[in-house]
Amino acid sequence: MAKEPKLAVIPLGGLGEIGKNMTAVRFGENIVLIDCGLMFPEEEMLGIDIVIPDITYLLEHKEQVLGILLTHGHEDHIGALPYVLRQINVPVYGSKLTLGLVQGKLKEHNMLEQVKLTTVKPRDIISVGPFKVEFIRVSHSIPDSMAIAIHTPVGTLLHTGDFKIDQTPVDGEVIDLPRFAALGEKGVLVMLSDSTNVERSGYTMSERVVGNTFDETFRHAQERILIATFASNVHRLQQAITVAHKYERHVAVVGRSMANVVQVASELGYLHIPEGTLVELDEANRLPKNKVVLLTTGSQGEPMSALTRIAMNDHRQVDIMHGDTIIISATPIPGNEKLVARIIDQLFKLGAKVIYEAVSGIHVSGHPSQEELKLMLNLIRPKFFIPVHGEYRMLKRHAELAKELGIPSENIFVGENGQVLEFNRKTGRTLGRVTSGRVLVDGLGVGDVGNIVLRDRKQLSQDGILIVVVTMDKENNQVLAGPDIVSRGFVYVRESEMLMEEAKTKVKMALEKCCVRGISEWAAMKSVIRDDLGKFLYEKTRRRPMILPIIMEV
Ligand SMILES: [Zn+2]
Ligand SMILES: [Zn+2]
């Protein structure tokens, strides 16, 4: 009898980080991908726009990749699609709203025509090669989110996707606990589950709580109301719109991404806007202040966002006025706290009343807290468990939680991106690694900015640059003009004329030294200039600007 193929799970992103989620599931010679997300750059990635997973492994096994399955429409799950599909064009499966958002992306990249998108609904079971793929409804901070069960001859793999257990969801579509229980009853070989909120005890509150807080705030607000939240949180937008309608206010949308989501979500029937409620921004500006609600992005303090520009008095159409109520309906993602705090300060200074995270009920998370994670583990009782979607300590905590519930520690895998985890009906093991990592996207360049470019950018950002220009005679190595020095970001030249003169002298001395030692190669001369000038400047200023010698020959 031929040996039965094994089931392998290969995380290509999302482990040890929050972002660029992507998991390859391999059975024999067949691969499906779950999610295809991006990550926003970290602070030290200067000038980088987005970060996507390294897909070298997939490119090496291109003909085996059968499709991409999407859990939901957040950027950390769909954001890398245009880049990946350009290299591996396979069918994409997802819910209606998820694919609606994907379409917008593909259109921006001029790829809509080339990609096959297939809409699936919760409880649909489709065949992708040897895989029977089932979609199961979950609650999350974007509608139409689904867990994915992949049934294979050796057993079932369940990926929860991002989820929470909301007993009173805004759209009435409750997480399909009966289906999860049934899967658990039948037996699940491997489960991968969301670790984002594993550090929080108890249950995550229902999204409906936010609606109640909106209602309370609207009832007391005398003037204009401005709500900043994630564009993709359609349920929250719905609650804002519903409450606005109740208090006879009109709603205007500020910011391109928010306008885009409002359009897609209402076209697809996920957002219900009462007739006449939505108005253009300039119309809102003409209405009495107590008749207006503005919805905007920028709840993370993103420097280019509408809210930041509004707070900095730099928005073309929106000025903050004394008496405005501003609701920041989000928690800063770790790393963004300072940006958000600065915006809140600024808004207070402009005379607004700001309601933010510290006030309970203005934001609830879309991810499960400990009790929900336990409930999922107990419903499924998987043989093997892989915590995903979290930084390393979160994966560790989630593993602990699973152990407390009786999953043997040898059946729990705290993995890393690129690690191959292989399972048969009875055993699971780690089996080497494949290439994985991050690919940086800057403008139109994908992967062309690496460590060397980033190191240069870092140096430039810290101490600036000095450009030394000398014109020389090729025949006899005589200096014909210069040296001239141009600097940016190093010192304020007008106040440092002395230093600049001394620097020029240093360059001249360096050139004389070259002459005496018989150094006539341009590259060697440049290196002497760089070393001598660098040493001099460091002694004088304790700074290390980038030095760029240019020798022009005539
Ligand atoms: Zn999500
Ligand atoms: Zn996510």
Side-chain angles (χ1 to χ4, degrees):
M1 203 180 92
K3 239 172 90 192
E4 192 171 50
K6 293 193 175 75
L7 177 66
V9 176
I10 307 162
L12 294 173
L15 294 195
E17 61 193 0
I18 293 200
K20 67 177 175 66
N21 295 288
M22 181 189 262
T23 309
V25 176
R26 185 181 72 198
F27 181 70
E29 307 265 275
N30 304 280
I31 296 171
V32 281
L33 280 178
I34 299 178
D35 288 333
C36 188
L38 61 72
M39 193 162 78
F40 293 103
E42 287 158 14
E43 217 172 317
E44 66 271 16
M45 298 178 188
L46 299 164
I48 297 302
D49 302 324
I50 62 167
V51 183
I52 58 175
D54 184 329
I55 56 163
T56 306
Y57 169 73
L58 300 175
L59 294 172
E60 286 166 0
H61 300 82
K62 214 169 171 175
E63 62 302 327
Q64 299 184 2
V65 183
L66 304 175
I68 302 177
L69 316 167
L70 300 175
T71 58
H72 64 290
H74 277 154
E75 289 291 346
D76 60 323
H77 297 260
I78 66 168
L81 275 173
Y83 305 94
V84 172
L85 288 170
R86 199 172 290 148
Q87 301 179 76
I88 307 174
N89 194 348
V90 291
V92 178
Y93 306 84
S95 65
K96 197 165 70 169
L97 180 63
T98 305
L99 293 187
L101 295 167
V102 168
Q103 275 177 350
K105 260 180 199 308
L106 295 178
K107 213 184 261 173
E108 263 175 51
H109 285 81
N110 266 324
M111 305 174 62
L112 192 52
E113 315 292 275
Q114 297 101 283
V115 180
K116 184 162 183 269
L117 301 174
T118 305
T119 308
V120 291
K121 297 188 306 295
R123 293 225 174 183
D124 277 358
I125 299 179
I126 57 165
S127 288
V128 183
F131 303 103
K132 293 264 176 296
V133 180
E134 177 179 1
F135 298 86
I136 307 150
R137 183 182 300 289
V138 296
S139 329
H140 188 40
S141 46
I142 185 168
D144 242 9
S145 297
M146 302 184 295
I148 294 174
I150 300 181
H151 304 285
T152 75
V154 292
T156 296
L157 173 143
L158 174 69
H159 193 309
T160 64
D162 294 7
F163 79 102
K164 68 190 265 188
I165 299 177
D166 192 337
Q167 314 268 8
T168 54
V170 172
D171 58 5
E173 302 281 6
V174 185
I175 175 171
D176 196 351
L177 293 175
R179 188 60 201 143
F180 283 107
L183 282 172
E185 186 65 39
K186 248 188 93 197
V188 168
L189 184 69
V190 190
M191 176 164 100
L192 294 78
S193 180
D194 180 355
S195 310
T196 318
N197 273 358
V198 69
E199 292 166 319
R200 298 192 196 176
S201 61
Y203 292 89
T204 303
M205 280 191 289
S206 170
E207 176 65 28
R208 219 168 267 269
V209 171
V210 178
N212 297 338
T213 315
F214 281 173
D215 195 301
E216 188 67 25
T217 314
F218 276 50
R219 193 167 345 131
H220 294 113
Q222 306 287 329
E223 311 222 358
R224 207 167 47 163
I225 298 172
L226 191 150
I227 300 177
T229 190
F230 293 107
S232 61
N233 198 330
V234 175
H235 290 144
R236 195 152 306 165
L237 304 183
Q238 179 69 66
Q239 299 200 95
I241 289 166
T242 306
V243 178
H245 181 64
K246 178 178 169 188
Y247 289 97
E248 295 173 346
R249 285 176 182 258
H250 293 275
V251 177
V253 174
V254 190
R256 201 172 63 100
S257 57
M258 186 71 90
N260 177 40
V261 170
V262 167
Q263 197 199 339
V264 172
S266 52
E267 271 172 20
L268 296 178
Y270 292 90
L271 195 58
H272 305 284
I273 307 175
E275 191 77 40
T277 302
L278 200 63
V279 295
E280 292 295 328
L281 190 49
D282 41 349
E283 193 184 338
N285 282 338
R286 289 192 296 268
L287 289 167
K289 292 198 193 86
N290 62 357
K291 292 282 168 228
V292 175
V293 177
L294 303 179
L295 291 179
T296 175
T297 52
S299 59
Q300 294 301 313
E302 307 93 320
M304 296 310 289
S305 70
L307 184 66
T308 302
R309 281 184 283 135
I310 291 169
M312 300 305 157
N313 253 330
D314 186 28
H315 196 277
R316 247 173 345 110
Q317 286 170 290
V318 186
D319 290 315
I320 292 300
M321 288 173 270
H322 197 87
D324 283 348
T325 300
I326 296 165
I327 303 173
I328 300 184
S329 183
T331 312
I333 295 166
N336 291 350
E337 294 91 345
K338 270 198 180 145
L339 289 173
V340 176
R342 201 166 55 112
I343 301 235
I344 294 171
D345 285 346
Q346 200 58 35
L347 292 168
F348 271 122
K349 278 185 199 163
L350 292 171
K353 179 181 174 200
V354 191
I355 300 173
Y356 58 101
E357 196 236 332
V359 185
S360 77
I362 208 63
H363 170 70
V364 300
S365 170
H367 297 276
S369 302
Q370 285 170 8
E371 295 306 314
E372 291 152 277
L373 294 173
K374 288 184 201 164
L375 181 55
M376 186 58 88
L377 279 159
N378 276 330
L379 281 175
I380 301 299
R381 276 170 284 132
K383 185 164 179 59
F384 299 103
F385 178 57
I386 308 171
V388 296
H389 206 284
E391 289 165 14
Y392 191 70
R393 65 182 183 286
M394 302 169 186
L395 305 181
K396 272 291 199 198
R397 282 288 285 274
H398 204 175
E400 284 301 317
L401 208 68
K403 220 186 292 175
E404 282 167 29
L405 299 187
I407 298 184
S409 49
E410 65 271 21
N411 286 6
I412 302 172
F413 296 90
V414 175
E416 278 170 37
N417 292 336
Q419 204 164 46
V420 181
L421 305 167
E422 198 186 62
F423 304 93
N424 61 25
R425 286 166 211 267
K426 290 197 180 65
T427 59
R429 58 175 180 152
T430 56
L431 185 83
R433 344 180 32 104
V434 303
T435 309
S436 72
R438 36 179 60 159
V439 171
L440 309 181
V441 180
D442 182 4
L444 292 178
V446 179
D448 60 340
V449 173
N451 286 337
I452 293 170
V453 175
L454 281 185
R455 195 191 58 203
D456 285 352
R457 287 184 184 180
K458 194 164 174 224
Q459 194 188 1
L460 288 169
S461 76
Q462 283 171 347
D463 289 321
I465 184 169
L466 239 86
I467 300 170
V468 181
V469 187
V470 199
T471 310
M472 299 191 77
D473 189 331
K474 179 104 183 105
E475 298 298 308
N476 54 14
N477 273 2
Q478 285 296 315
V479 176
L480 296 179
D484 291 315
I485 296 184
V486 183
S487 82
R488 286 289 181 274
F490 170 55
V491 289
Y492 187 52
V493 173
R494 285 205 201 152
E495 286 168 8
S496 313
E497 277 168 23
M498 273 284 286
L499 182 69
M500 287 302 158
E501 282 311 314
E502 285 172 20
K504 281 182 198 169
T505 313
K506 273 283 161 207
V507 176
K508 273 185 204 146
M509 284 160 63
L511 288 169
E512 277 160 24
K513 189 162 93 184
C514 291
C515 192
V516 172
R517 293 188 188 169
I519 299 171
S520 57
E521 281 291 312
W522 285 167
M525 289 168 73
K526 284 179 187 177
S527 152
V528 172
I529 295 174
R530 210 178 286 126
D531 289 350
D532 287 6
L533 185 57
K535 241 178 259 158
F536 166 74
L537 293 173
Y538 184 72
E539 273 165 22
K540 286 281 180 183
T541 64
R542 289 286 180 274
R543 297 179 200 175
R544 296 188 197 280
M546 180 181 286
I547 296 169
L548 207 63
I550 298 174
I551 298 177
M552 303 210 288
E553 55 176 64
V554 285

